[in-house]
Amino acid sequence: MTKHRKISKFLSYVLRHNPGKIGIQLDEAGWVPVNELVDQSRKHGMRFTKEDIKEVIRQSDKTRFIFSNDDRYIRATYGHSVPAELGYEPTEPPQWLYHGTAERNIESIRQSGIQPQNRQFVHLSVDKQTATQVGQRHGKPVVLTISAKTMYNDGHTFYRSDAGIWLTKQVPPSYISRQTER
Ligand code: HQG
């Protein structure tokens, strides 16, 4: 694994799931001072600089992390299991969004819809190709099509993250179809 990929995985873990692992706390919106993150990471065996983090962001096709305007704070843009009020505005989604999952989850999703599982939100992609990649992380990928606009019109709330990934609390079965050719 490249150095920057390793840093990216480490930051995802700490900033989304377990800040306590390196003795830091996220504020209520998920932010942490960059200096503190770098110092505490070093004390726990992960050595990198602020510039390394910028390189991680530049190299990735996903904006997983973002700096505050004054450059002093950083947070994950999505994916949290720990509480974080990200402050994204409720936004009208496109007509269709996509969710990549593994074949073995399909029966359960058919019964209970797409649930956030360990995370705060269900994560949805704007294109099928990205959804396929997301699904591949779990097994044989299946892409589900979500009638996002209809869901929205029915009163469900959607947020567009700073990474362009869409977030919603859960997707009931009636808005999900497996037929992906539209
Ligand atoms: C599945 C990555 C059974 C769900 C990705 C998924 C994404 C159910 C798994 C982001 C279910 C949860 C999030 C149900 C949902 N029964 N299985 N009722 N409801 N599931 O990793 O969406 O690269 O928490 O389909 O690209 O895969 O890390 O969510 O398979 O954007 O930056 O339960 O994380 O981004 O898995 O991934 P996850 P996800 P990064």
Side-chain angles (χ1 to χ4, degrees), residues 139-155:
K140 183 167 181 267
V142 177
V143 173
L144 300 173
T145 303
I146 314 303
S147 312
K149 185 72 119 326
T150 307
M151 241 182 104
Y152 173 83
N153 288 338
D154 289 349

Side-chain angles (χ1 to χ4, degrees), residues 67-161:
F67 285 89
S68 57
N69 288 336
D70 66 7
D71 224 33
R72 288 171 53 218
Y73 293 82
I74 187 170
R75 74 175 182 184
T77 54
Y78 62 93
H80 297 78
S81 59
V82 296
E85 293 293 334
L86 298 175
Y88 297 134
E89 286 296 316
T91 304
E92 179 174 340
Q95 186 164 22
W96 312 113
L97 286 169
Y98 303 94
H99 180 80
T101 189
E103 182 72 52
R104 75 185 130 73
N105 296 333
I106 293 298
E107 199 42 49
S108 164
I109 288 176
R110 223 188 285 283
Q111 305 276 327
S112 47
I114 307 171
Q115 298 297 329
Q117 310 291 38
N118 297 328
R119 303 192 200 253
Q120 297 283 330
F121 291 101
V122 166
H123 291 62
L124 302 171
S125 311
V126 289
D127 64 281
K128 294 177 200 172
Q129 196 193 338
T130 307
T132 305
Q133 285 161 10
V134 174
Q136 257 157 7
R137 293 158 48 252
H138 299 289
K140 183 167 181 267
V142 177
V143 173
L144 300 173
T145 303
I146 314 303
S147 312
K149 185 72 119 326
T150 307
M151 241 182 104
Y152 173 83
N153 288 338
D154 289 349
H156 293 266
T157 306
F158 285 78
Y159 307 91
R160 187 180 180 277
S161 75

Side-chain angles (χ1 to χ4, degrees), residues 4 7-8 11 15 27 29-38 48-60 62-78 80 86 88 162-163:
H4 286 102
I7 297 168
S8 180
L11 291 177
L15 296 177
D27 75 8
W31 297 103
V32 66
V34 181
N35 291 345
E36 201 178 309
L37 173 66
V38 169
F48 56 87
T49 62
K50 186 175 188 173
E51 198 37 51
D52 286 328
I53 304 176
K54 299 216 159 171
E55 188 56 30
V56 164
I57 296 171
R58 271 194 297 272
Q59 280 185 11
S60 175
K62 296 181 179 178
T63 309
R64 292 188 173 92
F65 318 105
I66 195 161
F67 285 89
S68 57
N69 288 336
D70 66 7
D71 224 33
R72 288 171 53 218
Y73 293 82
I74 187 170
R75 74 175 182 184
T77 54
Y78 62 93
H80 297 78
L86 298 175
Y88 297 134
D162 284 335

